[in-house]
Amino acid sequence: MRAARLMKMVLLLQARPAMTAAELARELEVSERTVNRDALALSEAGVPVYADRGRGGGYRLIGGYRTRLTGLGRDEAEALFLSGLPGALRDMGLDDVASAARLKVSAALLPSLSGASDSAARRFHLDAPGWYQEPETPALLPRIAEAVWGDRRIRATYVRQEREVERELEPYGLVLKAGVWYLCARVEETFRVYRIDRFSAVECEGDGFARDKDFDLPAFWSDRTQQFARSILRTEVVVRLTGPGAGRLPYVTDRAAAEESLTAAGPPDPQGRVTATLPVESLDVAFTQLFALGSEVEVLEPADLRERFAAEAERTARLYR
């Protein structure tokens, strides 16, 4: 424990020109007295730690000392590639590993480049969850993430159509989509996607599995999401849109479906309106989505949806009379 702390102290001082005892104590999560003792121990071991006394003083390394204790472990190297996703690392229980990896990389840089990581962090941040959401981290996520990193089979129980199902899975990858965590896994030679918050129990099996080297997680996820988006568009509505309505249609319905329907639509009529056949999830969903366009859209078919819009328009008009 102390050896790891001493190494971290050297790396901190190597990455920065100087640090006060208070700064080191905060980074190392110890007292300033412990920092002073550790600095003395490093000096006695031959590491040239110099203490500047007085106001504004602190600790620094002298003589251009550069430690070679910068080798990354496998877990640190893997976590480093996710260092732009602090929330995801925290959810998976890898924030300490990633912190150590970043520190080692910073220590290995030339002094003129030591501020590069801080500069990038100040200029870029990925906020994965959608607006107006307070996403909850699934309790079983760290255990599943451990199995993913270690290529270890898991026996999982999850809720499917209001009943619990047990499966043995080969966990290939994790995806964070709009604040929701998904597991991409192989089961019975087929790759499937599971929402992690629907798992009720997970046990890691002792044996590992041979990963398919041709499996491409981003490509698999992109293909699966496109399939899902298409599969839920089970019905169609015919609409007449004004120019502004056509421009806003991709923002209130499925974007790809809206753009394809507008491309396939005929030329505008003399009033500048286009008639398009739009795939939708259901008539209820279509009503909610298209109502946002107000008078910029007119539903032509099916008749019952058109009648529903007419009735709602009358109720709205009576409300504001």
Side-chain angles (χ1 to χ4, degrees), residues 158-280:
Y158 67 99
V159 178
R160 179 181 178 183
Q161 297 178 348
E162 300 183 355
R163 64 187 183 91
E164 288 193 336
V165 179
E166 187 175 282
R167 289 286 187 274
E168 185 175 285
L169 308 175
E170 295 178 352
Y172 266 68
L174 295 167
V175 175
L176 177 60
K177 171 69 172 179
V180 180
W181 283 95
Y182 296 88
L183 171 67
C184 300
R186 184 168 63 181
V187 52
E188 299 176 354
E189 303 303 320
T190 302
F191 287 100
R192 298 180 183 177
V193 176
Y194 302 86
R195 275 187 60 144
I196 292 182
D197 57 6
R198 292 179 181 170
F199 284 96
S200 59
V202 172
E203 295 182 5
C204 291
E205 302 292 318
D207 54 339
F209 64 90
R211 176 176 287 266
D212 183 351
K213 295 182 179 179
D214 294 329
F215 179 78
D216 185 326
L217 179 59
F220 169 77
W221 179 258
S222 176
D223 180 65
R224 187 54 59 92
T225 53
Q226 290 179 18
Q227 290 180 20
F228 175 76
R230 294 289 184 183
S231 69
I232 64 174
L233 303 178
R234 300 185 179 94
T235 189
E236 292 181 340
V237 298
V238 180
V239 294
R240 182 183 291 131
L241 298 146
T242 65
R248 290 170 54 193
L249 184 65
Y251 298 96
V252 299
T253 64
D254 180 86
R255 178 181 292 272
E259 292 175 346
E260 289 182 9
S261 65
L262 290 172
T263 300
D269 63 16
Q271 288 75 39
R273 300 175 300 178
V274 296
T275 300
T277 300
L278 178 69
V280 294

Side-chain angles (χ1 to χ4, degrees), residues 1-317:
M1 182 68 178
R2 190 189 185 199
R5 188 177 72 242
L6 292 173
M7 184 180 76
K8 186 174 182 179
M9 183 175 180
V10 173
L11 293 173
L12 285 167
L13 293 173
Q14 184 172 312
R16 308 178 192 181
M19 296 183 69
T20 66
E23 291 172 336
L24 284 168
R26 186 165 54 251
E27 290 282 353
L28 299 172
E29 299 181 350
V30 295
S31 66
E32 292 186 33
R33 180 174 298 179
T34 299
V35 168
N36 295 332
R37 288 200 300 265
D38 287 349
L40 179 60
L42 287 171
S43 180
E44 292 176 348
V47 179
V49 178
Y50 179 79
D52 291 316
R53 305 297 179 185
R55 185 175 182 179
Y59 291 98
R60 61 186 176 88
L61 295 175
I62 61 175
Y65 181 84
R66 309 288 293 176
T67 179
R68 293 185 178 275
L69 297 175
T70 52
L72 292 176
R74 181 181 178 87
D75 54 348
E76 294 170 336
E78 291 171 337
L80 185 60
F81 286 99
L82 293 172
S83 58
L85 304 168
L89 285 166
R90 182 179 59 253
D91 292 348
M92 291 187 291
L94 297 173
D95 47 347
D96 289 339
V97 175
S99 176
R102 288 193 297 268
L103 182 57
K104 289 184 177 182
V105 171
S106 297
L109 293 173
L110 294 173
S112 60
L113 301 176
S114 60
S117 59
D118 181 64
S119 175
R122 289 175 182 271
R123 289 166 173 80
F124 176 77
H125 172 68
L126 178 63
D127 184 9
W131 288 99
Y132 315 119
Q133 296 184 30
E134 289 294 334
E136 295 184 2
T137 302
L140 296 172
L141 176 60
R143 187 177 302 173
I144 295 174
E146 182 181 355
V148 170
W149 292 122
D151 291 340
R152 296 175 57 195
R153 289 187 178 88
I154 60 173
R155 184 171 296 278
T157 304
Y158 67 99
V159 178
R160 179 181 178 183
Q161 297 178 348
E162 300 183 355
R163 64 187 183 91
E164 288 193 336
V165 179
E166 187 175 282
R167 289 286 187 274
E168 185 175 285
L169 308 175
E170 295 178 352
Y172 266 68
L174 295 167
V175 175
L176 177 60
K177 171 69 172 179
V180 180
W181 283 95
Y182 296 88
L183 171 67
C184 300
R186 184 168 63 181
V187 52
E188 299 176 354
E189 303 303 320
T190 302
F191 287 100
R192 298 180 183 177
V193 176
Y194 302 86
R195 275 187 60 144
I196 292 182
D197 57 6
R198 292 179 181 170
F199 284 96
S200 59
V202 172
E203 295 182 5
C204 291
E205 302 292 318
D207 54 339
F209 64 90
R211 176 176 287 266
D212 183 351
K213 295 182 179 179
D214 294 329
F215 179 78
D216 185 326
L217 179 59
F220 169 77
W221 179 258
S222 176
D223 180 65
R224 187 54 59 92
T225 53
Q226 290 179 18
Q227 290 180 20
F228 175 76
R230 294 289 184 183
S231 69
I232 64 174
L233 303 178
R234 300 185 179 94
T235 189
E236 292 181 340
V237 298
V238 180
V239 294
R240 182 183 291 131
L241 298 146
T242 65
R248 290 170 54 193
L249 184 65
Y251 298 96
V252 299
T253 64
D254 180 86
R255 178 181 292 272
E259 292 175 346
E260 289 182 9
S261 65
L262 290 172
T263 300
D269 63 16
Q271 288 75 39
R273 300 175 300 178
V274 296
T275 300
T277 300
L278 178 69
V280 294
E281 182 176 347
S282 67
L283 295 184
D284 286 339
V285 172
F287 176 80
T288 302
Q289 293 174 335
L290 295 174
F291 196 79
L293 297 180
S295 60
E296 306 297 340
V297 62
E298 178 187 359
V299 175
L300 303 179
E301 297 178 11
D304 54 347
L305 182 60
R306 179 181 174 86
E307 293 171 0
R308 183 175 176 182
F309 267 91
E312 187 63 27
E314 290 180 1
R315 284 194 292 269
T316 302

